[in-house]
Amino acid sequence: MHGVTVPWRDVLVAVLAACVGIGAIPVLAGLYQYLLIPVHAFRNHLSRAAPYLPRVVVIVPAWNEGAVLGASLDRLMRLEYPPDRLRVLVVDDASTDDTPDVVRAKAAQYHDRVVHLRREQGGQGKAHTLNHGIAVALADDWMQALLIMDADVIYHPDSLRRMTRHLADEQVGAVTAFIREGSRRPGSVARFVGYEYVTAQAAARRAQNIMGAMACLAGGAQLHSRANLEAVGGRVDTSTLAEDTYTTFLTQLAGRKVVFEPAAVVLAEEPDTVTALWKQRVRWARGNVQITRTFRRVWFRPRRGHGLGRFDFGVIWFAIYLLPVAMVLAAVGLVGLYFVAEVTATLAFQSLWWIAVSAYVFITVTTMLLDRETARRSWLQGLLFPGVGALVVMVAAWFPNLLEVRLPALFGWEMTPAGREVWTLTLYAWSVLAMLLAWGVKQLERTRVLKPLALPLLYLVGFGPVLCAITLDAYVKQWRGAAAVWDKTEKTGRVMG
Amino acid sequence: MSSGSWATLTDEALADEIEANGRTERRLLVGVAVVAAVCTVAVLVLHGPVTSDDVDQAPGAHSVAVR
């Protein structure tokens, strides 16, 4: 037998090139999602919506929400909705602040339309608090639909009736609204979140309407029909950190649709420091790990009754779920190629970032135009969402030699070969470096002396890599079996009234 | 709308609102898609496709020669 010579170098180059290719998948998945949005102009659930004003019970879980609750209840009472068809149950989870006094005052002001439910043994988390209220609501035949909201959110006057009209279609089990970041004087982090919410809700959920598969009912705005609530067991899940996603999946697996209504707008206050954001998003990401495992038999298995098993929905879900892995693989692929096949590395680098620039332009323009109110507030954060560093990488990929040769030449400078090597490797490894620096932003924010550097570093790193780093941290915490506690995100009542 | 304006929410008014929201959605999304597509295509046309010709000018190219 003749020995077969294995072209190990070619195999290695192919593997490394594949790693770079994997790095492009999340970008392509995001682009695909955005390309679905225009279809929503002609294919949306409004054609099946009809005038419908059911008797709605609103559940407001509250733990030390005295600062925000009064305004929220006042706005609920001013909703353009028949007052005799709207009741509010505030489930006070053994608050230690003035929450009980605020609710009692509002109950007196609005008579039997606001009810105070007190849990003397609290602290078990939001899901348990919600279940307390849901059980009370279901015990009374009066309720036809149930709205779950957060204590700090402010509903636009027309938002509830714009949600209920979809429940006229009995195939619809739940409806969610567009949560817009609505702080009165938002800082940089809150402005980034505002822009992110347009991408993750106004954009992504329109695409999910088209696919017939909704990833998540927003925790602060989920309207359920009574039939749906009973079908999913009359309670929300308490075993995971993502009770809203769990209910969303159960609803669809039970054969009912979940609809996103972009014209129903709800304002919410979001974290304005990276530290607070980190805490909130680690909880969300760990919840998503639990959901991915719990519903492992759903992925990539198309079924007639729901769209959760669709191939495209699965690719989008896992593109987000495994985004940190894709970023690491892209960097490993490019750096590896640099040492074994440099010309291929350059071609791969330019191709990867060619796709990234196309996606950046399309996604940024679409996002800005989808919600101009947020665009006015967060245009800078929208433009710098990938980070100044990533924009530099895009320019380097788009205009070869501009930053390495032509720009320095204007000042009579020239990069040394070693400097050029470091520069090239930095460009290739940026997706990983950005995640490391994102962790640095959180650390800087906690220091007293270096704290002012956190914000410039955030803009250098970008918000996307921060979210990526948080997701990676959540995986590590989940893998290590860190205690899964429900940490409340502190709200201060900054939402615009 | 002022307090009590819910009383004007007749089936007819609600149906009109559904239609109006549908029209707004159509106009918004068609407009957004056209502008986003034009911007993206313009950027891509200005740059052109990635070819092996670009590699000679790319960041790594110089260090190939140096090595």
Side-chain angles (χ1 to χ4, degrees), chain A residues 99-120:
Chain A
T99 296
D101 299 332
V102 171
V103 183
R104 274 187 219 112
K106 292 299 169 189
Q109 183 181 347
Y110 298 113
H111 308 292
D112 56 349
R113 295 180 63 209
V114 174
V115 177
H116 179 214
L117 294 178
R118 172 86 176 170
R119 292 185 82 210
E120 293 304 335

Side-chain angles (χ1 to χ4, degrees), chain A residues 260-464:
Chain A
F260 168 64
E261 171 52 76
V265 179
V266 176
L267 301 180
E269 174 190 344
E270 296 302 333
D272 211 0
T273 63
V274 171
T275 307
L277 180 86
W278 205 286
K279 191 173 81 168
Q280 180 198 53
R281 298 306 174 91
V282 161
R283 190 177 77 234
W284 291 7
R286 291 187 69 182
N288 281 343
V289 174
Q290 294 167 328
I291 293 290
T292 306
R293 274 196 205 145
T294 304
F295 295 98
R296 57 188 171 278
R297 295 187 195 287
V298 169
W299 309 115
F300 301 108
R301 294 179 193 185
R303 291 281 184 277
R304 196 172 279 264
H306 62 82
L308 295 175
R310 279 174 62 130
F311 179 78
D312 50 2
F313 182 72
V315 169
I316 290 167
W317 178 277
F318 281 95
I320 297 167
Y321 183 73
L322 297 174
L323 188 57
V325 178
M327 295 299 99
V328 171
L329 285 179
V332 167
L334 285 172
V335 172
L337 283 174
Y338 178 79
F339 290 108
V340 293
E342 194 165 352
V343 173
T344 309
T346 308
L347 204 57
F349 169 72
Q350 294 201 334
S351 302
L352 178 68
W353 284 93
W354 187 86
I355 295 169
V357 171
S358 312
Y360 169 72
V361 173
F362 192 81
I363 288 173
T364 306
V365 173
T366 303
T367 308
M368 295 275 192
L369 295 176
L370 263 186
D371 184 26
R372 288 175 212 178
E373 174 126 6
T374 300
R376 269 194 293 276
R377 282 158 64 91
S378 305
W379 61 270
L380 180 65
Q381 290 71 24
L383 291 175
L384 300 182
F385 196 80
V388 174
L391 294 178
V392 170
V393 178
M394 286 185 201
V395 171
W398 208 246
F399 304 107
N401 272 339
L402 176 70
L403 301 176
E404 300 85 354
V405 179
R406 288 175 212 159
L407 211 57
L410 289 178
F411 303 96
W413 299 336
E414 193 182 348
M415 257 191 200
T416 62
R420 182 114 188 199
E421 196 152 11
V422 170
W423 169 256
T424 305
L425 286 171
T426 304
L427 294 178
Y428 287 2
W430 180 252
S431 53
V432 167
L433 293 174
M435 279 197 276
L436 292 172
L437 290 171
W439 180 79
V441 175
K442 189 180 79 157
Q443 300 308 317
L444 282 180
E445 211 175 62
R446 288 174 169 179
T447 64
R448 191 170 290 178
V449 182
L450 299 174
K451 196 176 175 181
L453 295 176
L455 205 55
L457 188 60
L458 172 64
Y459 280 99
L460 174 72
V461 168
F463 197 72

Side-chain angles (χ1 to χ4, degrees), chain A residues 34-276:
Chain A
Y34 265 73
L35 288 171
L36 284 181
I37 295 170
V39 182
H40 201 262
F42 306 100
R43 267 186 58 193
N44 56 59
H45 193 263
L46 282 173
S47 56
R48 292 189 181 183
Y52 181 50
L53 300 168
R55 294 188 297 271
V56 177
V57 167
V58 184
I59 302 274
V60 187
W63 180 69
N64 291 350
E65 304 280 8
V68 298
L69 201 50
S72 298
L73 292 173
D74 285 338
R75 292 300 289 247
L76 275 177
M77 292 296 105
R78 290 207 294 269
L79 281 177
E80 290 162 8
Y81 204 84
D84 59 337
R85 296 186 200 180
L86 187 69
R87 288 180 189 170
V88 180
L89 298 183
V90 180
V91 190
D92 170 12
D93 192 31
S95 297
T96 51
D97 69 347
D98 62 341
T99 296
D101 299 332
V102 171
V103 183
R104 274 187 219 112
K106 292 299 169 189
Q109 183 181 347
Y110 298 113
H111 308 292
D112 56 349
R113 295 180 63 209
V114 174
V115 177
H116 179 214
L117 294 178
R118 172 86 176 170
R119 292 185 82 210
E120 293 304 335
Q121 299 293 320
Q124 289 177 291
K126 183 182 173 185
H128 288 276
T129 311
L130 286 175
N131 282 335
H132 187 79
I134 292 170
V136 171
L138 279 174
D140 189 342
D141 288 341
W142 185 86
M143 186 263 285
Q144 293 175 308
L146 184 126
L147 177 71
I148 295 174
M149 63 175 274
D150 290 335
D152 64 301
V153 301
I154 299 284
Y155 275 67
H156 272 208
D158 52 16
S159 50
L160 179 58
R161 70 163 191 262
R162 288 182 174 185
M163 294 171 79
T164 57
R165 61 194 179 186
H166 295 284
L167 293 183
D169 175 2
E170 287 184 358
Q171 286 187 314
V172 175
V175 185
T176 191
F178 170 36
I179 309 260
R180 180 187 279 151
E181 207 295 317
S183 305
R184 204 171 284 123
R185 282 179 293 279
S188 289
V189 175
R191 285 176 199 267
F192 271 122
V193 174
Y195 180 82
E196 181 215 357
Y197 274 12
V198 183
T199 67
Q201 295 185 44
R205 286 184 181 152
R206 276 184 170 99
Q208 288 163 19
N209 271 350
I210 300 296
M211 289 187 276
M214 191 60 60
C216 184
L217 285 155
Q222 43 179 308
L223 179 73
H224 295 270
S225 69
R226 183 181 186 108
N228 183 57
L229 208 57
E230 288 171 341
V232 299
R235 59 192 297 280
V236 298
D237 171 64
T238 53
S239 65
T240 68
L241 291 168
E243 85 288 338
D244 42 9
T245 312
Y246 200 100
T247 311
T248 312
F249 273 54
L250 280 190
T251 297
Q252 292 167 96
L253 291 172
R256 287 192 170 82
K257 288 184 194 166
V258 176
V259 173
F260 168 64
E261 171 52 76
V265 179
V266 176
L267 301 180
E269 174 190 344
E270 296 302 333
D272 211 0
T273 63
V274 171
T275 307

